[in-house]
Amino acid sequence: MSPSDVSTAPPSDTDIPCSSVQLTVNGTAQTLTVDNRTTLLDALREGLHLTGTKKGCDHGQCGACTVTVNGRRINSCLSLAVMHDGDDVTTIEGVGTPDALDPMQAAFVEHDGFQCGYCTPGQICSAKAVLEEIRQNVPSHVTKNLMETIPISETEIRERMSGNICRCGAYANILAAITQVAEGSA
Amino acid sequence: MKFTSPATETIFDTSTVVGKATHRVDGPLKVSGRAPYAYERHDVIDGQLVAYPLGATIAKGRILSIDTQHAKAAPGVHTIITTLEYDELPKDERNVASLFGGDKVVHYHQAIAAVVADSFEQARAAANLITVKYDIEQDLDFDLERQWQQRGTVEPVSATGDFAQAFQSAAKTLDREYRTPGHSHAMMEPHSTLAHWDGDALTIWTSNQMIAWNREALAVTLGLEEDNIRVDSPYIGGGFGSKLFLRSDAVLAALASKASGRPVKLALPRPFVMNNTTHRGETIQRIRIGTDAQGHITAIAHTAMSPTQPGGQGEQATDQTRQFYAGANRLIEHHPVEMFLPESNAMRAPGEASGLMALEIAMDEMAEVLDMDPVAFRALNDTQVDPENPKRTFSDRNFTRCLSEGARAFGWHDRPQTPASRRDGNWLIGMGMAGAYRGSPVLTSGARVRLQANGTVIVETDMTDIGTGSYTIIAQTAAEVMGLPVSAIDVRLGDSNFPRSAGSGGQFGAPSSTAGVYAACVKLREMIAQKLQMPEAELSFSDGAVHSAGEPQLIGTFATDAELVAEDKIEFGKFRSDDHIVSTFGAHFVELRVHALTGEIRLNRMLAVCDSGRILNPITARSQVIGGMVMGVGAAMMEEMAVDRTQGFFANHDLAGYEVPVHMDIPSQEVIFLDTLDPVATPMKAKGIGELGLCGVAAAVANAAYNATGVRLRDYPVTLEKLFPGLPKV
Ligand code: FES
Ligand code: FES
């Protein structure tokens, strides 16, 4: 399939409202024809076959579908693909590959920050964005002092990661992995 | 290989790989999003269509009609299957409620139709155009509380000595009731299947813990020859018991594929999962304990009630009480109550998880009645024999070590002696503990090992990895036996074309499947010995070579002409259960704080001490335990399937309404493994660990909340609105 030929809409039907969307996904320009009802998540998974981004709930309740759009993390299931014309999307596939893992991915392996692995791409995309948010001094619910530089603390990380559910319960290990990356690049 | 007597000295006693910290071999694939789960198999077959299910919106009754006219005409729709077009499909003995077919509805969100379309959006939109008419059965009872109040007598599950007499004459007694709500597995990956029906043959790429069971059930339900069915499930996004059995995703996808003549994939929508599939049933439990003046248990009775679909067991919450603590006079009663709620069935540590939520509060309460330390009270009532049949001994039971080492490591001596006596600012501080008990069953498990000319070994077994670490511990096992590094082992799992294994459930997966791989590897060693015309015992395997009297020979040289293939299975003899009880033990310790003004509960720290025989991989075993502890926190503090008692369904059926722990809920967690070995358990002297980590955790939290506040709750979950009225006056 060539990148310009991606469609989540059936070619046979003419009465479905479809749109053409241009996205940059993991650095590659893509033009997609999408059913207007298609979420960004399904455009990635079904249209581009980038299945690293997971669908845990499709309702913004679990965080498994977390990707970054123009540098900010979002739940891609809560966002329609047509809303992202011109956007720059990074998925787990763009974070690193099995042979060339990103430091955050490597830290997840080292600290066993997962079990079944289904929440993991979302956790990793979220974790990278969380460290960036703290560096940019974006406050959270647990930030005590808005006038000072926000510390990268366990509480800040836990709070900001709380939109990413891990039913396997790897939280303590995920925290260890994120902390290691935060300290390594501090 | 037959395991008919306790293991003696084995290569695992001097192991260099098994038992050593080894990172997950599937880790790089999972963290990079390259591990393919069931709904993502774009790679396996072209022309996939998408199906979307429809569920019944009544608990019980008959379907009068399903009008699909508008749905059929909707854009992109290929076909629609409805339950009325089929006779009720035969069900496998492991399924309780029927999965599809016929006009009868026996639970809410029972699958009644599926729309097959070109895309997900089209299938979903068309499914919304279907109208269903029902004849609703009225006056059904979904109220377990009422059933409990009206309960009659039942034939005891077991009775030892004379409980009534002993309880009456006991020096100290406790008689309490406890309530646990239903729990949902809530694994992150919804049940999903891609099915391809081709002539008489069916292939499904699915998400299932038990490949062989799944294939057997498909054969029964769909009327196919088992040989014509292939089930493939290499990666599973969590199961916890929810994916033990054939479920509607696979049935609907298969029927839809047959009807449309195309491969069809279907994932259960998240809001559909909790009522359509299984759950851990709610329970009401009564526990009576009588002791002598020193605290020795002389009488113990555990009575439990839980709902079930007709033909099911309900939640067997009394199981552990038969064997956990000593006491000559015992009574166990179980009241399953038929109710047309969705099917109650196995969820992680079925029986023990709910049972220990009650028993381990009761033990805490009894210790208080006796004015004893809860740790000491449990230790005093340890037993090394089956209390119901003292001729059977525990194969290896180190429960008192769990208690004492845990107490020491946690600083238990520093616990507030009196409830509600420690404060830190606005926070009340408390500590609690609980014992943990879970059987360690095993199942026959097979594997095939294929030595390659390049000195690597391919391991094939239909064992699954549901996050448990099977890929890794199987690679370690093969590496150990064949004298190779883990990187030289290529583990392939979850395919019904591979030898039948134990599968994943009941914490039997790790000990059974690794023993099966061990058996196959021993056979491969024997084949190599035969080639050398030497007894296997005179060879040693290490550093990728076979060492005999002469020059070491690279192991790959035995496969230069053709790969060398060995297949075997481990079969466990009856001695294991006739003479012994093989179980795992633990102790959980929790420190928490409760806000004195609001009742908000936050955990400070947790510790688990586990006695599970040989730990095959401390990294993945620890992850299993901390994951169980997280699930236990959920059960203690938030998880509750809210039953609509008039309509008969779970009202909070998604991840917004059914709350599970998130990062912010989980404090620092520590795990200590005792260095025990259990020669009766398996040839590797290993036992399960995946469920032990959950057992008792919720009670430890509840006991800590009592210690912090002086408010004793016996009705889970322990939440602030229940604590609040009893908080110490400010
Ligand atoms: S799939 Fe998007 S939040 Fe769950
Ligand atoms: S690793 Fe399984 S849900 Fe997080």
Side-chain angles (χ1 to χ4, degrees):
Chain A
M1 186 187 302
S2 74
S4 57
D5 185 29
V6 171
S7 171
T8 63
S12 56
D13 283 290
T14 50
D15 49 353
I16 300 170
C18 290
S19 305
S20 174
V21 185
Q22 303 211 7
L23 297 172
T24 303
V25 182
N26 301 329
T28 305
Q30 306 275 9
T31 304
L32 288 88
T33 306
V34 294
D35 184 320
N36 285 1
R37 299 166 294 187
T38 304
T39 60
L40 177 60
L41 173 60
D42 280 331
L44 295 168
R45 282 168 62 83
E46 305 301 324
L48 295 171
H49 293 191
L50 291 170
T51 53
T53 309
K54 303 304 180 197
K55 184 188 280 194
C57 68
D58 221 8
H59 288 69
Q61 301 166 347
C62 75
C65 63
T66 306
V67 299
T68 51
V69 174
N70 304 332
R72 293 182 61 176
R73 58 180 173 146
I74 65 161
N75 286 339
S76 60
C77 71
L78 284 188
S79 195
L80 296 174
V82 291
M83 298 157 66
H84 290 284
D85 196 29
D87 281 353
D88 191 346
V89 180
T90 303
T91 71
I92 192 70
E93 288 90 347
V95 173
T97 63
D99 297 325
L101 296 177
D102 177 83
M104 187 67 79
Q105 293 171 316
F108 267 64
V109 175
E110 184 181 339
H111 292 277
D112 213 37
F114 57 94
Q115 293 205 64
C116 76
Y118 201 75
C119 73
T120 312
Q123 301 276 0
I124 290 171
C125 289
S126 236
K128 286 176 65 73
V130 159
L131 294 186
E132 204 43 49
E133 285 161 24
I134 300 176
R135 274 188 206 108
Q136 292 172 8
N137 235 28
V138 179
S140 82
H141 174 66
V142 297
T143 305
K144 291 228 165 64
N145 188 336
L146 298 182
M147 307 307 285
E148 287 174 1
T149 305
I150 300 169
I152 299 189
S153 66
E154 293 197 347
T155 310
E156 283 285 354
I157 295 172
R158 282 193 179 114
E159 164 62 22
R160 291 165 195 264
M161 289 299 294
S162 284
N164 290 86
I165 295 175
C166 177
R167 186 56 161 168
C168 294
Y171 297 127
N173 292 353
I174 295 171
L175 179 67
I178 300 174
T179 305
Q180 173 180 303
V181 173
E183 285 168 356
S185 54
Chain B
M1 181 183 287
K2 292 201 177 358
F3 184 59
T4 50
S5 61
T8 52
E9 204 176 317
T10 76
I11 60 165
F12 302 105
D13 295 326
T14 53
S15 62
T16 57
V17 190
V18 166
K20 306 291 181 252
T22 306
H23 290 120
R24 271 172 216 270
V25 298
D26 49 337
L29 282 182
K30 284 181 173 173
V31 299
S32 62
R34 265 72 170 186
Y37 296 81
Y39 198 77
E40 305 166 353
R41 302 304 298 268
H42 297 295
D43 56 319
V44 292
I45 191 161
D46 288 333
Q48 298 175 22
L49 299 176
V50 178
Y52 194 92
L54 189 72
T57 53
I58 64 168
K60 190 162 192 300
R62 277 180 191 282
I63 299 172
L64 299 175
S65 65
I66 301 179
D67 182 353
T68 58
Q69 192 192 341
H70 296 296
K72 273 201 175 116
V77 172
H78 284 244
T79 187
I80 298 175
I81 56 169
T82 80
T83 191
L84 296 180
E85 296 158 1
Y86 299 82
D87 290 333
E88 185 174 333
L89 298 180
K91 57 177 198 265
D92 180 71
E93 59 186 14
R94 298 184 185 93
N95 284 96
V96 181
S98 154
L99 291 170
F100 197 66
D103 64 350
K104 268 191 296 186
V105 174
V106 293
H107 69 89
Y108 189 85
H109 274 178
Q110 177 179 317
I112 58 171
V115 177
V116 185
D118 285 309
S119 76
F120 172 73
E121 293 78 15
Q122 293 167 337
R124 181 180 55 188
N128 282 325
L129 299 176
I130 298 175
T131 46
V132 184
K133 288 210 172 70
Y134 301 98
D135 177 9
I136 305 173
E137 198 167 316
Q138 307 288 349
D139 302 323
L140 293 164
D141 193 356
F142 301 105
D143 191 345
L144 194 67
E145 196 63 50
R146 179 164 44 226
Q147 297 282 343
W148 175 253
Q149 301 308 337
Q150 298 169 355
R151 74 186 181 279
T153 52
V154 285
E155 192 60 28
V157 175
S158 75
T160 311
D162 185 344
F163 168 77
Q165 202 282 324
F167 187 68
Q168 207 191 5
S169 59
K172 303 274 184 184
T173 60
L174 181 87
D175 182 354
R176 292 290 188 196
E177 288 182 7
Y178 304 89
R179 283 159 178 79
T180 68
H183 292 150
S184 179
H185 309 82
M187 67 287 133
M188 278 299 102
E189 180 205 24
H191 303 71
S192 308
T193 296
L194 165 63
H196 176 50
W197 200 307
D198 186 9
D200 294 334
L202 172 69
T203 304
I204 65 164
W205 294 271
T206 189
S207 182
N208 195 279
Q209 302 174 221
M210 303 291 295
I211 302 303
W213 290 6
N214 205 240
R215 186 159 75 149
E216 285 168 7
L218 280 165
V220 170
T221 299
L222 300 176
L224 287 167
E225 293 294 326
E226 260 192 70
D227 286 348
N228 285 339
I229 302 171
R230 178 172 167 234
V231 177
D232 189 31
S233 190
Y235 294 96
I236 296 152
F240 312 113
S242 182
K243 296 172 181 169
L244 285 170
F245 315 112
L246 177 64
R247 299 302 321 164
S248 65
D249 58 306
V251 174
L252 294 176
L255 293 176
S257 173
K258 189 174 194 183
S260 63
R262 294 267 293 269
V264 174
K265 68 175 178 178
L266 178 146
L268 299 189
R270 177 59 67 180
F272 193 62
V273 171
M274 292 188 193
N275 283 291
N276 176 258
T277 68
T278 61
H279 69 284
R280 188 201 301 292
E282 68 177 318
T283 71
I284 300 178
Q285 306 178 43
R286 178 189 187 193
I287 294 177
R288 285 169 287 174
I289 303 174
T291 69
D292 65 15
Q294 291 75 44
H296 298 99
I297 295 174
T298 54
I300 185 164
H302 195 160
T303 305
M305 172 176 280
S306 80
T308 175
Q309 282 274 332
Q313 303 287 315
E315 186 67 13
Q316 310 255 33
T318 55
D319 276 358
Q320 70 291 318
T321 309
R322 300 179 62 179
Q323 283 142 358
F324 197 5
Y325 294 111
N329 303 286
R330 323 176 66 85
L331 178 67
I332 303 290
E333 297 172 322
H334 179 51
H335 298 256
V337 177
E338 285 191 4
M339 225 176 249
F340 292 91
L341 285 170
E343 178 175 330
S344 128
N345 210 320
M347 175 167 156
R348 197 177 197 173
E352 281 95 336
S354 311
L356 288 165
M357 286 171 80
L359 179 64
E360 290 300 303
I361 296 183
M363 290 297 284
D364 204 59
E365 296 201 72
M366 191 71 225
E368 193 176 22
V369 169
L370 288 158
D371 200 19
M372 279 181 82
D373 183 292
V375 170
F377 175 54
R378 286 174 173 85
L380 183 69
N381 287 290
D382 186 47
T383 175
Q384 292 294 319
V385 298
D386 179 353
E388 292 183 357
N389 173 12
K391 285 201 209 71
R392 284 169 88 210
T393 56
F394 281 99
S395 55
D396 188 52
R397 170 169 166 142
N398 304 281
F399 178 50
T400 56
R401 261 186 75 196
C402 296
L403 292 169
S404 59
E405 294 191 22
R408 193 169 335 114
F410 199 70
W412 180 251
H413 65 276
D414 181 41
R415 146 188 118 100
Q417 298 296 323
T418 317
S421 65
R422 185 168 298 169
R423 255 184 110 121
D424 178 8
N426 275 332
W427 294 94
L428 302 162
I429 312 292
M431 288 192 206
M433 59 81 55
Y437 179 96
R438 171 75 182 153
S440 189
V442 283
L443 290 177
T444 303
S445 197
R448 181 159 59 225
V449 288
R450 298 166 44 194
L451 177 63
Q452 307 295 300
N454 64 2
T456 62
V457 170
I458 299 167
V459 183
E460 295 173 334
T461 162
D462 84 357
M463 181 60 191
T464 50
D465 189 330
I466 60 174
T468 36
S470 310
Y471 278 108
T472 312
I473 57 174
I474 285 173
Q476 288 174 272
T477 304
E480 186 77 56
V481 186
M482 300 315 300
L484 291 166
V486 165
S487 58
I489 312 294
D490 175 3
V491 181
R492 300 177 185 175
L493 300 180
D495 188 333
S496 62
N497 286 339
F498 301 154
R500 180 184 180 131
S501 75
S504 300
Q507 75 172 16
F508 51 64
S512 307
S513 67
T514 51
V517 170
Y518 167 62
C521 288
V522 168
K523 194 160 216 183
L524 185 59
R525 286 170 57 130
E526 284 165 356
M527 290 169 74
I528 291 170
Q530 223 162 37
K531 288 201 168 207
L532 285 168
Q533 297 186 324
M534 295 203 30
E536 192 264 344
E538 283 174 31
L539 302 179
S540 75
F541 292 71
S542 63
D543 304 320
V546 182
H547 307 260
S548 56
E551 279 286 290
Q553 228 174 306
L554 285 177
I555 195 166
T557 57
F558 296 94
T560 24
D561 300 337
E563 63 171 1
L564 202 55
V565 183
E567 184 174 331
D568 200 2
K569 60 186 175 201
I570 187 79
E571 294 171 281
F572 296 91
K574 267 165 56 79
F575 83 99
R576 212 178 166 275
S577 47
D578 282 355
D579 308 341
H580 304 284
I581 305 177
V582 184
S583 281
T584 62
F585 310 91
H588 288 282
F589 294 82
V590 170
E591 183 193 274
L592 53 66
R593 59 190 193 277
V594 177
H595 199 278
L597 305 178
T598 65
E600 178 188 1
I601 312 163
R602 308 300 310 172
L603 299 185
N604 289 348
R605 58 197 180 99
M606 306 176 78
L607 166 71
V609 186
C610 301
D611 171 26
S612 272
R614 186 189 307 283
I615 297 302
L616 301 167
N617 180 347
I619 293 181
T620 51
R622 180 179 172 279
S623 290
Q624 280 282 285
V625 175
I626 65 169
M629 291 157 81
V630 169
M631 199 171 267
V633 169
M637 295 173 55
M638 62 198 82
E639 291 183 39
E640 175 174 22
M641 296 183 96
V643 184
D644 184 318
R645 304 276 174 198
T646 54
Q647 301 299 316
F649 70 100
F650 300 118
N652 52 344
H653 51 86
D654 63 18
L655 293 172
Y658 184 84
E659 294 179 2
V660 299
V662 298
H663 280 270
M664 201 57 185
D665 297 312
I666 301 305
S668 118
Q669 295 174 312
E670 212 188 311
V671 181
I672 296 172
F673 294 117
L674 298 189
D675 56 347
T676 54
L677 298 173
D678 191 336
V680 175
T682 75
M684 298 169 71
K685 306 177 189 173
K687 295 189 278 201
I689 189 84
E691 298 187 333
L692 182 68
L694 166 62
C695 291
V697 175
V701 173
N703 293 338
Y706 170 70
N707 184 248
T709 62
V711 183
R712 177 66 80 182
L713 296 182
R714 303 180 184 89
D715 178 13
Y716 289 98
V718 175
T719 52
L720 58 85
E721 76 273 16
K722 293 180 193 166
L723 283 179
F724 187 76
L727 288 182
K729 293 279 167 287
V730 188

